[in-house]
Amino acid sequence: MTQVLAPEALLEGTAVRFGWAIAYRDGRIEQVGPLEQLRAANPSYPVIEVPQRLLVPGLVNAHSHSFQSLVRGLGDDRPFAAWRDVLYRFTPRLGPEEVYTAGLFAFGEMLRYGTTTVCDFFYLHHGDNERAVALAQAAEDLGIRLVLARSMMDWEVAPAAYRETPEQAVANGRALAARFQGHPLVRVIPAPHSPHGASGEMIQAGARLAAELATPWHIHVAEAPYEGEQIRARHGCGLLEWIARLGALDERIRIVHGVWLEEQEIAALGHAGGGLIHCPGSNLFLGDGIAPLRTYLRHDVTVTLGCDSGSANSRLSVFDEMRLAATLQKGLAGSGDALDAEAVLQMATVNGEHVTGLPLGRIVPGALADFCLIRLDDLSMQPRHRIVQNLVYSLHHGAVSDVFVHGQPVVREGRLVRVPEAAIVERVRRLTERWSAELSQVEATA
Ligand SMILES: [Zn+2]
């Protein structure tokens, strides 16, 4: 049955339309336009009016690692290698049940802050798909849309739990994609870990699998300077140049971070039709630096935004990343007009289609019915001179009142609908309560 939702206003692209409504059915938006027109054309459709609400596309968190939320706080305020040691200590022990808990925790928090789609870069495989399936179950139970970027890693330094041979990674990735073929909420894409975490053979296998599945593929590139230095020492070229030599710099590639690349590499990425997943909060939190976002935009690279994880950033809000993405570029350029609110809003919404391969991020007929209702009467949304600027710069998360994914309500009046938040808190507490003491003990005896 088609539903009509009539907010006070809705966001069509970056234009605010007062008195417009949407009609949706079976997870898709059918019509968008002035309420009176929709009513006249479809008198039998039930109309739900939501005064004082702004309907916006659901935000796309293009990069995260949900299970890392469980170590939030434990590795903070340390250099990268020491932060990663904490991750390597606690995460290999997580079984399917624990991965499920982590998914409820991280995805639940994202939903509360208006994220309707998350690309979760997942690498706790232990050689199979059991944990990945548990993670997808958490997404399904909460009602969030999940793009499961199944990582492919064969770096001998990483824990055995993360590693596979290229043959295993392809077979498992293909099997997982087949399992979720046609699923309304879950899609599987390949994700060779990084030029340091995946061999050339693994990266080529990931790019080929993406072509076979007709999806984008994701890869971490140039988060820190050491990666480029390593590849230059080994192969005598830059990171993306090496990926190009492998034959993998294609239109499906979406690189995560991209903090330390030369301009000609960025230009090649744009020329290929690739994308950048910009994670400004994580890059600052871990001391990686600031990606030259305006260079990417100048070379027509499609940019999306990622929170990265609950331990690599601490916050899991795409609203925070939008604000940071714009304000960092203003600060770098020394000018308030370096990057505007409309541009970063587009990164978090419309550009979601490029990074996921799914028709989302827009309030238009045919798009997936993933959207949020924002309280227009929240103090952080006043005054209403520039509503898009308010969304990006001043909004407080308390202003996110309702979230719909695939046309279904998953957050109502600021609370998760399907899984009680208290139950998630209890699961996380039980699972992690001894970890801090364990880490202190290990470090005291080291
Ligand atoms: Zn990552």
Side-chain angles (χ1 to χ4, degrees):
M1 156 88 105
T2 300
Q3 300 275 330
V4 175
L5 196 62
E8 183 164 335
L10 62 76
L11 206 57
E12 190 200 28
T14 54
V16 180
R17 308 288 189 199
F18 283 87
W20 281 35
I22 67 167
Y24 59 97
R25 178 196 182 118
D26 297 334
R28 295 267 180 168
I29 297 173
E30 283 186 337
Q31 298 172 49
V32 180
L35 175 61
E36 293 320 314
Q37 275 180 24
L38 254 67
R39 251 201 244 270
N42 317 282
S44 66
Y45 289 174
V47 176
I48 299 172
E49 298 202 35
V50 276
Q52 292 291 348
R53 295 290 185 272
L54 171 72
L55 187 149
V56 303
L59 303 182
V60 177
N61 179 3
H63 187 69
S64 195
H65 306 275
S66 52
F67 65 86
Q68 293 183 8
S69 272
L70 295 172
V71 295
R72 175 187 271 165
L74 279 183
D76 293 2
D77 308 325
R78 305 171 180 217
F80 182 78
W83 171 85
R84 198 174 58 192
D85 285 347
V86 172
L87 208 62
Y88 284 6
R89 163 167 299 279
F90 291 101
T91 57
R93 67 177 68 167
L94 303 175
E97 184 70 20
E98 289 77 28
V99 167
Y100 175 79
T101 295
L104 289 182
F105 174 32
F107 299 158
E109 198 178 352
M110 292 174 203
L111 276 178
R112 284 278 311 278
Y113 306 154
T115 292
T116 51
T117 296
V118 54
C119 301
D120 206 57
F121 199 113
F122 185 72
Y123 53 83
L124 293 184
H125 302 315
H126 293 261
D128 58 40
N129 283 326
E130 236 189 304
R131 289 161 185 77
V133 169
L135 184 67
Q137 189 64 51
E140 197 176 338
D141 288 352
L142 286 162
I144 197 170
R145 193 176 299 287
L146 170 66
V147 174
L148 200 159
R150 191 185 186 284
S151 183
M152 305 166 78
M153 198 168 187
D154 56 356
W155 180 38
E156 63 285 355
V157 176
Y162 304 177
R163 277 181 279 153
E164 293 169 310
T165 64
E167 295 73 29
Q168 281 175 325
V170 169
N172 285 334
R174 194 181 275 138
L176 192 66
R179 180 177 178 132
F180 290 100
Q181 176 75 34
H183 193 285
L185 289 181
V186 181
R187 166 172 242 213
V188 177
I189 67 170
H193 183 273
S194 57
H196 69 273
S199 61
E201 195 191 339
M202 189 70 107
I203 292 171
Q204 288 170 323
R208 273 199 305 269
L209 184 58
E212 177 188 320
L213 300 173
T215 65
W217 59 282
H218 293 193
I219 181 168
H220 298 99
V221 175
E223 179 175 7
Y226 75 88
E227 299 164 24
E229 289 158 12
Q230 229 173 50
I231 292 296
R232 192 164 292 283
R234 259 185 230 158
H235 305 287
C237 61
L239 285 160
L240 281 188
E241 206 181 329
W242 181 56
I243 291 174
R245 285 187 196 174
L246 294 172
L249 191 63
D250 57 18
E251 77 281 4
R252 300 182 185 281
I253 188 172
R254 312 289 178 257
I255 68 162
V256 186
H257 300 306
V259 180
W260 299 95
L261 289 177
E262 302 292 334
E263 179 157 2
Q264 75 264 22
E265 294 185 279
I266 293 171
L269 180 66
H271 188 71
L276 169 73
I277 301 169
H278 179 45
C279 304
S282 165
N283 296 154
L284 288 177
F285 195 78
L286 296 179
D288 294 325
I290 300 169
L293 203 54
R294 296 203 307 156
T295 308
Y296 283 92
L297 295 173
R298 199 162 58 239
H299 290 289
D300 296 323
V301 175
T302 303
V303 177
T304 50
L305 299 175
C307 300
D308 209 343
S309 77
S311 70
N313 177 336
S314 290
R315 296 196 175 207
L316 292 177
S317 159
V318 180
F319 281 108
D320 284 349
E321 301 307 310
M322 284 197 285
R323 180 183 149 87
L324 263 181
T327 51
L328 280 171
Q329 296 306 313
K330 295 172 192 296
L332 274 181
S335 178
D337 62 358
L339 189 61
D340 61 28
E342 285 81 0
V344 293
L345 182 64
Q346 179 167 332
M347 293 172 191
T349 56
V350 177
N351 291 2
E353 182 162 348
H354 188 257
V355 81
T356 62
L358 297 168
L360 44 71
R362 297 168 203 256
I363 305 301
V364 294
L368 290 164
D370 297 355
F371 49 83
C372 307
L373 297 175
I374 305 295
R375 294 180 211 279
L376 276 171
D377 53 358
D378 192 85
L379 285 178
S380 70
M381 291 296 288
Q382 313 307 317
R384 298 194 200 168
H385 302 307
R386 296 278 186 276
I387 286 181
V388 168
Q389 275 65 19
N390 287 359
L391 279 174
V392 170
Y393 298 131
S394 66
L395 173 141
H396 182 273
H397 297 120
V400 179
S401 75
D402 296 69
V403 179
F404 291 74
V405 179
H406 213 72
Q408 299 297 316
V410 292
V411 173
R412 266 206 200 284
E413 295 293 332
R415 306 300 289 176
L416 296 174
V417 171
R418 302 202 189 162
V419 182
E421 289 176 30
I424 299 175
V425 171
E426 180 55 18
R427 288 183 80 107
V428 171
R429 190 192 62 76
R430 278 205 314 267
L431 173 57
T432 62
E433 64 186 343
R434 296 179 196 286
W435 290 8
S436 179
E438 179 184 329
L439 187 64
S440 304
Q441 201 172 23
V442 169
E443 292 182 339
T445 54

